[in-house]
Amino acid sequence: MTANVVFVGWSHHGAPLDLRERLVFTPERSREALEGLFRERILSEGAIVSTCNRAEVYGLSDREDGAAAVACFLSDFQAIDAAVLRDTAFSGRGEPAVRHLFRVASGLDSMVLGEAQILGQIREAHRRASEARTARAVTNRLFQSALECGKRVRSETALGQRPTSVAGVALSLTGRIFESLAGRRVLLVGAGETIELTASLLVEQGVAAADVLFTNRSADKAEALAARSGGCAIPWEERFRALAEVDVALSATAATEPVMRAADVAKALRRVRRRGPLLVLDLAVPRDFDTGVDDLPDVYRYDLDALQGIAARNTAERRSEVPRAEAIVDESVTAFLAWLASLSHVDVVRGLREKLESARREELGRYAGKLQRLSPEDQKVVERLTETLVAKILHEPTIGLKEGDASDRLARAAAVRALFRLEGGE
Amino acid sequence: MGGFVGAAGSTTAAVFGALALVAYALSAAFYVAHLRTPRPLVGKAATTFVILGAACNLEALYARSVALHSVPYRDLLGSMALLGFFLAVLNVVLELRHHDRSLGPFLMPVVLVLLVLALELPVSRAAAPRPELRGSVFALHVTLNMLGYAAYAVSCALAVLYLAVGRSLKKRGRALDGAASRLPSLGYLERASRTSLGVGVVASAIGFGLGIYWASHVWYEKNPAWALDPKVWAAFLILGFYAVTLVRAHRGASPVTTARLVIAGFALVVFSYTAVNLFLTRLHSFT
């Protein structure tokens, strides 16, 4: 029965960006695609996971060529050359399909190992499929198990705990120094793209736009940046005074020599009564801040080397967690496959038969005293009567469990297991 | 364990003292486990046991007070048990206020040591307390001063953590490594240390004022030179030192310097609590 679970997908591993862009499924397109896959009887249930790095279809199919048929359908649906899709696709059937989704949910297949956004995207894919009524017993269980697996990996390993990008490390450092960025004042030194991007990132993180100060040798550039972001431009000569009044200073100029000398910084900090630590993020190469500022007690300076070093070590630490994460994926896959196997027609009918047979024997046992008063012939009649009753009760469900497509059969099997509380269903 | 039995042989005090000890030990173990691997259930267990420990500690102090017919902290044993109680309570207050459990792993072992030492100390054999050591003004004076000591201890612990985290952050490329990376932000540690210092200064100031009032009424005939007692001067020095440190911190002094001053001030507290109480003072020695 596991062979019915199929997936086909395109991701950053094999599909170029321009192809991934064409494969993006909006909620509406996702619904249309799933409805089309149903209409064409390629899938009997399923869902589409669509992110900037992947487009993957998971579902239940009776067809041996289920994955290829999905790819063929999507070629028409998205108007993409079938050969291109075929050459860049990766697919699986049965256990590999299940394992792939669980690895994706755990962040093990992500471009940034252990990233957490994918969990929300999988949850969203399941929600969309539920709305389109294409998520049924197996898809529901598959996606719920994948989400649980992803959560376990995140809570039981350090796979997604530490930032691995320079921007993430910088934000993490602000979290180690300040309780929150709300209410903090920031000085941005320079006027390049990095400075502009940082300004918008800081505002996103809770810094008030008016608390972002810009300074640059060319005052007009600083003023233009300030005007665009709602911040405040200050003259280049005032940068040391401003430094003493802010909590975070980020510098990214193209200067060939330090523009923030330690002696001037120390003098400015001494002159102005300030409170709290000063975080200095020096992203310029060569550096804008003199390394001598490290000796000032309340100044915490990080240059690009330091930030990249932290990011690299965090990446290595995440990699070292992969075996533990894979072990959790193994456990989750095994549990899901056991549940799926328990829905096989033979197993469910056998379980149901054993349950009814056990009930029959129990009831005969309860009345054993009274039955003994009957003649041996009459006792045989009662025995046969109850056996026939059980067989008649089992007849319709046994046929019903074989009817319909794979999804119908599995949904009924799951319902029977749940209703009769048959063992092995969980 | 006999220490808590007290002069009058209160077994209630002994039982609750032992229960407090067990609860504090479990709490300390859970706090340390929570620091190593944060888990909500472990954290809640730590908080629950420290609250249970404080409740048992308070009951032990009360039972001891009843048995002694006096305040329970007229000797070193009771004084340490009270200090442990205040430290535990301040730990819970800070935890609930700031939603952070990082102080517990450092504070609860200290509470545990205080309780163990208190239980090992010889019992005061004074048959009855001196009459002048009765009354609510005296009781409040001692209680508030002990609360002040506990608050200074908490502030000092937070200042030590501040310096440790700051030192770790100065390692630049390794700023997010090591145990310090699991501690709270510098901002939180500085604010919590200042809050605790504020509590200490206010409690000590009121306690000191009540002490002056009490002494000027009770000792004016018997000990007219009470103001020259080393304990009075030590208390005044500590209060002045911490009040100035607090004002400086509020006016924007360097947090690193403030943390160092808080730690230095606590050395004075320890000196006052041990050397002055045990060897230098006559009027403030334990009975």
Side-chain angles (χ1 to χ4, degrees):
Chain A
M1 187 60 71
T2 61
N4 283 324
V5 178
V6 297
F7 95 100
V8 58
W10 295 263
S11 77
H12 56 96
H13 290 304
L17 182 60
D18 59 341
L19 177 61
R20 299 205 305 273
E21 282 170 348
R22 294 168 67 193
L23 275 166
V24 166
F25 288 87
T26 61
E28 195 51 41
R29 291 290 284 167
S30 176
R31 173 194 284 263
E32 286 169 14
L34 286 168
E35 284 170 356
L37 288 163
F38 265 55
R39 209 170 36 247
E40 304 280 330
R41 296 187 178 279
I42 297 170
L43 296 181
S44 53
E45 59 176 289
I48 296 175
V49 177
S50 177
T51 74
C52 54
N53 282 328
R54 69 181 69 244
E56 293 172 352
V57 181
Y58 294 85
L60 210 59
S61 177
D62 279 342
R63 294 170 58 157
E64 277 299 317
D65 65 341
V70 170
C72 189
F73 171 86
L74 291 181
S75 158
D76 292 339
F77 186 77
Q78 299 284 59
I80 301 171
D81 182 23
V84 172
L85 279 189
R86 195 178 51 241
D87 293 346
T88 50
F90 57 104
S91 59
R93 192 175 173 83
E95 191 262 359
V98 175
R99 181 175 298 280
H100 180 73
L101 178 62
F102 286 23
R103 290 187 82 253
V104 168
S106 304
L108 286 164
D109 197 63
S110 298
M111 188 181 269
V112 177
L113 185 66
E115 60 98 4
Q117 272 186 329
I118 189 68
L119 263 186
Q121 290 159 334
I122 288 178
R123 193 175 291 114
E124 177 62 16
H126 184 214
R127 194 183 62 77
R128 283 184 198 173
S130 299
E131 280 176 5
R133 298 179 187 282
T134 59
R136 297 168 70 186
V138 176
T139 306
N140 285 338
R141 182 75 173 219
L142 178 68
F143 275 70
Q144 279 159 8
S145 302
L147 288 169
E148 280 166 22
C149 174
K151 283 184 204 160
R152 266 192 72 194
V153 166
R154 272 160 191 84
S155 63
E156 294 176 27
T157 74
L159 195 71
Q161 277 178 6
R162 293 188 171 196
T164 53
S165 66
V166 167
V169 169
L171 274 179
S172 193
L173 285 167
T174 63
R176 298 292 303 121
I177 292 175
F178 308 108
E179 288 181 84
S180 136
L181 274 177
R184 301 284 157 207
R185 299 192 80 196
V186 181
L187 174 67
L188 299 178
V189 186
E193 198 183 344
T194 308
I195 292 293
E196 189 160 12
L197 283 172
T198 306
S200 56
L201 183 68
L202 287 168
V203 172
E204 268 175 36
Q205 296 296 319
V207 176
D211 286 337
V212 181
L213 311 179
F214 294 87
T215 189
N216 190 53
R217 261 189 226 279
S218 311
D220 52 337
K221 284 187 181 172
E223 280 162 13
L225 271 178
R228 278 204 295 277
S229 66
C232 179
I234 57 156
W236 180 248
E237 298 71 32
E238 301 258 319
R239 64 189 185 282
F240 292 110
R241 185 191 55 75
L243 192 66
E245 291 173 357
V246 299
D247 304 290
V248 181
L250 187 139
S251 188
T253 74
T256 51
E257 286 186 354
V259 294
M260 295 291 202
R261 296 199 174 278
D264 295 326
V265 173
K267 201 166 133 191
L269 293 183
R270 261 200 312 272
R271 197 184 307 147
V272 181
R273 179 171 282 153
R274 54 166 292 109
R275 180 164 158 182
L278 172 66
L279 170 63
V280 172
L281 298 167
D282 187 350
L283 304 185
V285 179
R287 288 173 291 204
D288 282 339
F289 277 79
D290 217 352
T291 52
V293 300
D294 292 345
D295 297 332
L296 301 173
D298 294 299
V299 178
Y300 300 90
R301 183 190 66 88
Y302 303 93
D303 54 29
L304 207 52
D305 259 8
L307 296 173
Q308 282 173 339
I310 294 171
R313 251 199 323 284
N314 288 353
T315 304
E317 193 173 296
R318 284 191 182 195
R319 285 209 188 98
S320 70
E321 290 292 295
V322 167
R324 289 177 64 205
E326 293 282 11
I328 292 171
V329 169
D330 276 346
E331 277 178 34
S332 305
V333 169
T334 305
F336 176 80
L337 293 178
W339 172 81
L340 199 56
S342 76
L343 299 185
S344 77
H345 174 261
V346 174
D347 279 357
V348 174
V349 171
R350 185 192 298 132
L352 195 54
R353 185 180 298 281
E354 282 168 2
K355 186 95 177 179
L356 293 178
E357 181 61 21
S358 155
R360 186 183 76 84
R361 291 197 173 284
E362 199 179 306
E363 289 306 306
L364 285 176
R366 275 203 325 141
Y367 292 97
K370 289 180 181 174
L371 290 173
Q372 274 176 356
R373 289 185 218 142
L374 300 176
S375 65
E377 288 76 20
D378 287 345
Q379 283 182 22
K380 277 182 187 167
V381 169
V382 171
E383 185 83 19
R384 269 203 302 279
L385 186 147
T386 53
E387 281 173 357
T388 310
L389 201 59
V390 165
K392 277 192 180 290
I393 291 170
L394 276 171
H395 180 67
E396 290 299 328
T398 306
I399 293 170
L401 284 167
K402 287 182 187 170
E403 287 177 345
D405 58 25
S407 180
D408 287 335
R409 294 195 301 269
L410 290 170
R412 283 192 206 111
V416 168
R417 277 215 172 271
L419 284 171
F420 287 90
R421 297 177 193 275
L422 303 183
E423 285 174 11
E426 291 300 319
Chain B
M1 197 61 66
F4 243 114
V5 175
S10 166
T11 47
T12 311
V15 169
F16 278 98
L19 285 175
L21 191 68
V22 172
Y24 285 149
L26 286 169
S27 164
F30 281 121
Y31 271 122
V32 172
H34 187 261
L35 180 71
R36 288 164 64 101
T37 316
R39 291 207 176 134
L41 208 62
V42 176
K44 280 178 188 165
T47 310
T48 307
F49 278 112
V50 72
I51 291 170
L52 285 174
C56 293
N57 195 343
L58 185 65
E59 178 57 31
L61 283 166
Y62 175 74
R64 192 159 193 276
S65 177
V66 171
L68 290 171
H69 305 292
S70 167
V71 289
Y73 35 75
R74 62 183 234 220
D75 57 5
L76 186 58
L77 180 164
S79 162
M80 286 168 89
L82 182 70
L83 188 59
F85 168 75
F86 277 137
L87 283 174
V89 169
L90 282 172
N91 176 60
V92 174
V93 169
L94 278 172
E95 189 175 309
L96 296 179
R97 189 184 149 100
H98 298 292
H99 306 288
D100 183 88
R101 290 193 168 94
S102 52
L103 189 60
F106 304 94
L107 213 53
M108 290 319 293
V110 175
V111 175
L112 194 62
V113 169
L114 280 172
L115 260 275
V116 169
L117 288 176
L119 292 171
E120 289 305 316
L121 280 172
V123 181
S124 166
R125 291 293 170 200
R130 296 199 299 265
E132 69 267 25
L133 299 186
R134 288 181 178 167
S136 54
V137 174
F138 173 76
L140 210 55
H141 156 68
V142 180
T143 306
L144 285 171
N145 276 318
M146 293 307 289
L147 174 62
Y149 283 164
Y152 294 146
V154 171
S155 184
C156 175
L158 289 161
V160 169
L161 292 183
Y162 184 95
L163 294 181
V165 173
R167 202 182 167 87
S168 148
L169 284 168
K170 281 276 187 185
K171 288 180 186 164
R172 300 178 61 245
R174 297 195 167 269
L176 297 177
D177 290 358
S181 67
R182 288 194 285 275
L183 295 174
S185 66
L186 287 180
Y188 161 78
L189 291 169
E190 192 271 333
R191 190 163 59 92
S193 177
R194 200 156 27 90
T195 306
S196 193
L197 189 61
V199 170
V201 167
V202 170
S204 295
I206 299 172
F208 191 72
L210 287 171
I212 290 172
Y213 172 81
W214 179 86
S216 59
H217 281 75
V218 177
W219 278 343
Y220 73 102
E221 273 186 355
K222 222 164 134 188
N223 298 298
W226 62 266
L228 298 174
D229 187 73
K231 183 71 183 178
V232 177
W233 281 98
F236 181 71
L237 194 64
I238 290 165
L239 179 59
F241 183 85
Y242 273 141
V244 170
T245 305
L246 185 64
V247 170
R248 284 184 81 252
H250 273 291
R251 292 176 69 178
S254 150
V256 169
T257 310
T258 302
R260 287 176 183 156
L261 287 174
V262 167
I263 295 165
F266 195 66
L268 278 178
V269 173
V270 173
F271 177 74
S272 167
Y273 189 65
T274 53
V276 174
N277 270 59
L278 294 172
F279 309 114
L280 299 180
T281 181
R282 188 176 60 82
L283 296 173
H284 285 82
S285 61
F286 293 114
T287 58

